[in-house]
Amino acid sequence: MTRRKRIALFSLGLVIALALLVAGGAVLLVHTPWGHERARRFLVAQVEAFLGGRGHLYLGRLDFTLGGHVSVDSVAILDDHGQVIAAASHIDLDGSLPGALASNIRLTRLLIVRPYLYLELKDSVWNAQRLFATQTKGAPPSQSNLAIAIDSGEVRDGHIVLVMPDSLPRLPPVRRDFSHIELVAGPAKLRSRGATGGLAPIARLAVESSRPPVTLRQAAGAVRWWADSLALDLPLFRLPGSRASVKGSIAWAKTGPAILELLLHADSISLADIAWITPMIPKRGDASARVHIHNSATPHDVQYAVTDLD
């Protein structure tokens, strides 16, 4: 065998060995509990470094495949005082790995089970803003080419806690709970390249609110959002005894409470569904009505104006 042939065979063997080594490493990382645990620890370390001591990430079991399927059991983000800001008992998603590497994230399916979100406004700043603050004061926001789309998304048994100061500073903060949240949405564009907003068609939304005491049985329509506001257009809005439509907007600034401007129109509404607004509304009977929900005059006080009650 000539020297040239020996070099060629050696080079070929080296390439095959390297390919087998890479393939074996990929199999070890993707298809073994050892690999999943190493990936989990790496992800936790990256998030902890990003939070910079302002909070912590707890991540339970992490499973994934090269096909783009990811499954997470028990995940939570806590602030530096140990308060849980966001959590979920289970997350399932399917997506495209090559697209994610190119900053074009497309999830064909996203399922979040029992998500929890705690939002508190204190000293005109939301707790989530403190936790994820990355920009230096006065620095312009960085541009990003990241695109995120979800073909089908579902939330099961979600819970959101909203804590805001009372209109009288000496009184305790006002807490509002939005529980038993059920959501089916998509296809949704959460973020697009060259755009500053997003769109999510809503197939079904259900939620129970503590303040105001409202049970939303079903809503459907669309939600659009931008950096400082979102717009709602829900042609279907069903309460226990009422069928209505809702349009409006919610705007917010970097500091301070959100500004609500919502209009509910119902051709047939059960008075029991809106009797909590004022004792002047009887608790029995049906009628048509328009309800204006806003807080532009006093941001901490949500006001309800009932008109065209017939």
Side-chain angles (χ1 to χ4, degrees):
M1 182 181 296
T2 65
R3 183 172 181 272
R4 180 176 296 180
K5 287 185 177 180
R6 288 198 300 270
I7 293 176
L9 290 175
F10 175 79
S11 300
L12 178 62
L14 182 61
V15 170
I16 293 175
L18 289 174
L20 291 175
L21 183 62
V22 171
V27 170
L28 187 64
L29 177 66
V30 175
H31 295 289
T32 67
W34 181 89
H36 292 175
E37 175 60 19
R38 292 302 176 275
R40 187 195 70 83
R41 292 183 181 181
F42 174 79
L43 181 58
V44 170
Q46 293 300 306
V47 174
E48 293 273 349
F50 171 79
L51 293 176
R54 298 181 302 273
H56 305 282
L57 171 67
Y58 169 79
L59 184 61
R61 182 177 177 180
L62 173 65
D63 293 319
F64 54 90
T65 68
L66 287 176
H69 177 76
V70 179
S71 178
V72 178
D73 284 326
S74 300
V75 58
I77 296 179
L78 301 84
D79 64 15
D80 53 355
H81 298 292
Q83 170 67 54
V84 176
I85 305 299
S89 64
H90 183 78
I91 299 176
D92 247 0
L93 63 88
D94 293 284
S96 171
L97 181 59
L101 296 177
S103 298
N104 184 19
I105 299 175
R106 180 183 176 184
L107 303 181
T108 56
R109 173 179 174 268
L110 173 64
L111 170 65
I112 307 177
V113 180
R114 298 188 66 186
Y116 174 82
L117 185 62
Y118 180 86
L119 297 175
E120 182 178 10
L121 182 65
K122 189 175 182 180
D123 298 328
S124 299
V125 180
W126 292 98
N127 57 346
Q129 289 177 303
R130 294 190 184 94
L131 183 64
F132 296 105
T134 57
Q135 295 291 334
T136 303
K137 189 174 181 180
S142 60
Q143 298 295 322
S144 174
N145 290 323
L146 179 65
I148 306 175
I150 301 176
D151 292 345
S152 176
E154 182 178 359
V155 171
R156 297 178 185 172
D157 197 18
H159 190 173
I160 298 175
V161 178
L162 188 63
V163 180
M164 299 175 63
D166 194 275
S167 55
L168 297 176
R170 65 177 181 274
L171 295 179
V174 178
R175 172 173 172 146
R176 293 180 172 89
D177 284 76
F178 303 90
S179 58
H180 304 295
I181 300 173
E182 303 289 336
L183 173 66
V184 178
K189 294 183 178 180
L190 303 187
R191 183 186 178 99
S192 301
R193 291 176 177 174
T196 58
L199 168 66
I202 306 298
R204 181 177 183 271
L205 171 64
V207 60
E208 292 184 11
S209 168
S210 63
R211 299 182 65 168
V214 172
T215 298
L216 175 60
R217 292 286 176 82
Q218 182 181 7
V223 178
R224 292 181 179 271
W225 61 87
W226 299 267
D228 59 354
S229 61
L230 64 82
L232 299 171
D233 185 4
L234 304 175
L236 176 61
F237 193 87
R238 296 185 62 181
L239 303 177
S242 310
R243 185 182 181 97
S245 63
V246 171
K247 285 188 176 183
S249 64
I250 304 175
W252 54 86
K254 292 184 178 179
T255 60
I259 305 300
L260 306 179
E261 282 291 340
L262 303 175
L263 181 62
L264 180 149
H265 176 76
D267 291 328
S268 177
I269 189 169
S270 171
L271 296 181
D273 288 336
I274 61 172
W276 55 267
I277 296 177
T278 172
M280 298 177 64
I281 299 177
K283 296 183 179 181
R284 294 182 180 180
D286 299 296
S288 61
R290 293 164 65 90
V291 181
H292 181 208
I293 306 169
H294 64 100
N295 66 344
S296 55
T298 306
H300 295 297
D301 290 334
V302 179
Q303 301 177 14
Y304 306 87
V306 181
T307 59
D308 300 333
L309 185 61
D310 187 8

